[in-house]
Amino acid sequence: MQTFIEKVLNQHKDETYKDFSMRLLPGIDNILGVRIPILRQIASNMDEKDLIYLDNSSFESIMLRGLIIAGIDESNGNRMNLVDSYVHQVDNWSHCDTFCKYLNGIKIDVLIDYAFQNSEFVQRFALVMFIEHCLVDESIDLVISVVEHMQPRGYYSQMALGWLIASAYVDYPTKVEHWLKTSTHHDKIINLSLRKIRESNRIDKDTKKRLMKFKRLRSSTI
């Protein structure tokens, strides 16, 4: 028997959006096709006590759990336990990045701990949170240091690292160029970061061309 939440989600299914989402998330076959603005609206009428009514039966029910947790007041003593549980549940970029977009108030020390965990999507969570909240004067040097010393585990962590470097370049080009020049990371990571810079529409063409001097000959393994 469907739960009330499942019935609500099914009422908002959009087959076109479902097909679009499945193309972006290969291997995930439990997508209903509910758009994020609708999920946010549903989440706004729920709170921590409603989490017990959510299961993992659909992509959207897991997304809804993250949106509810992100909306819990920072003064709630159980909030970080819920955040940590969700971070370790995430297994795709969409759940991860959406959670990061709406989650505030996580201390940078906590994010650093996540960055050094041996998990692809836990690391991605840390990196995307850095992008969303930590590319500021007070923390940029620390973020770049973490990026230099961590070892990204898997494709989605590596992509997030490249995205972070491209995002940081917009406001901190000198710091990022120094990192590109001196980093001990594998050639693949440096070249991936350059690729994300080239893909950015916030960086001019002449700068993108000039930065190609940092491109490295790729080694065969990472």
Side-chain angles (χ1 to χ4, degrees), residues 51-64:
L51 292 173
I52 62 172
Y53 302 111
L54 295 172
D55 55 24
N56 300 331
S57 60
S58 70
F59 174 86
E60 283 80 1
S61 63
I62 300 171
M63 181 79 81
L64 186 58

Side-chain angles (χ1 to χ4, degrees), residues 86-98:
Y86 189 76
V87 168
H88 285 89
Q89 177 185 8
V90 164
D91 63 359
N92 65 81
W93 66 264
S94 183
H95 283 155
C96 177
D97 296 6
T98 303

Side-chain angles (χ1 to χ4, degrees), residues 6-173:
E6 289 172 331
K7 289 179 180 178
V8 171
L9 292 174
N10 276 283
Q11 288 172 357
H12 292 284
K13 290 192 299 186
D14 180 329
E15 290 298 325
T16 300
Y17 186 66
K18 174 183 176 178
D19 292 342
F20 170 75
S21 298
M22 290 185 72
R23 289 195 295 271
L24 294 177
L25 295 159
I28 298 179
D29 56 8
N30 62 342
I31 297 174
L32 299 175
V34 183
R35 295 176 183 271
I36 291 176
I38 294 174
L39 291 173
R40 289 190 66 203
Q41 184 177 10
I42 296 170
S44 70
N45 294 308
M46 303 175 73
D47 57 28
E48 181 183 355
K49 68 179 184 298
D50 297 312
L51 292 173
I52 62 172
Y53 302 111
L54 295 172
D55 55 24
N56 300 331
S57 60
S58 70
F59 174 86
E60 283 80 1
S61 63
I62 300 171
M63 181 79 81
L64 186 58
R65 176 182 299 276
L67 291 171
I68 293 169
I69 293 170
I72 294 174
D73 192 273
E74 294 175 28
S75 64
N76 186 314
N78 193 41
R79 182 174 185 257
M80 274 309 304
N81 291 329
L82 294 170
V83 168
D84 185 70
S85 176
Y86 189 76
V87 168
H88 285 89
Q89 177 185 8
V90 164
D91 63 359
N92 65 81
W93 66 264
S94 183
H95 283 155
C96 177
D97 296 6
T98 303
F99 189 49
C100 293
K101 182 174 182 178
Y102 298 108
L103 181 67
N104 294 296
I106 307 300
K107 294 180 179 179
I108 193 168
D109 290 349
V110 174
L111 299 178
I112 291 170
D113 287 342
Y114 283 135
F116 287 101
Q117 290 192 26
N118 189 24
S119 168
E120 180 176 16
F121 285 102
V122 173
Q123 286 187 335
R124 184 178 176 96
F125 168 76
L127 292 166
V128 177
M129 286 294 285
F130 287 153
I131 295 168
E132 293 285 353
H133 306 290
C134 301
L135 298 184
V136 294
D137 292 351
E138 294 79 6
S139 53
I140 183 63
D141 289 334
L142 181 56
V143 168
I144 291 177
S145 177
V146 171
V147 166
E148 175 60 20
H149 291 94
M150 69 177 291
Q151 293 297 320
R153 306 294 182 182
Y155 174 81
Y156 290 100
S157 176
Q158 294 168 17
M159 290 296 287
L161 191 156
W163 176 22
L164 185 155
I165 290 299
S167 299
Y169 189 84
V170 174
D171 291 319
Y172 302 99

Side-chain angles (χ1 to χ4, degrees), residues 169-203:
Y169 189 84
V170 174
D171 291 319
Y172 302 99
T174 302
K175 293 179 185 293
V176 171
E177 287 191 31
H178 178 74
W179 179 81
L180 290 168
K181 181 178 180 179
T182 63
S183 176
T184 60
H185 265 297
H186 190 279
D187 295 349
K188 179 180 178 181
I189 298 298
I190 303 303
N191 293 343
L192 175 59
S193 299
L194 290 168
R195 173 184 144 195
K196 301 307 285 185
I197 288 173
R198 292 198 307 274
E199 292 173 354
S200 174
N201 58 12
R202 302 171 68 195
I203 301 169

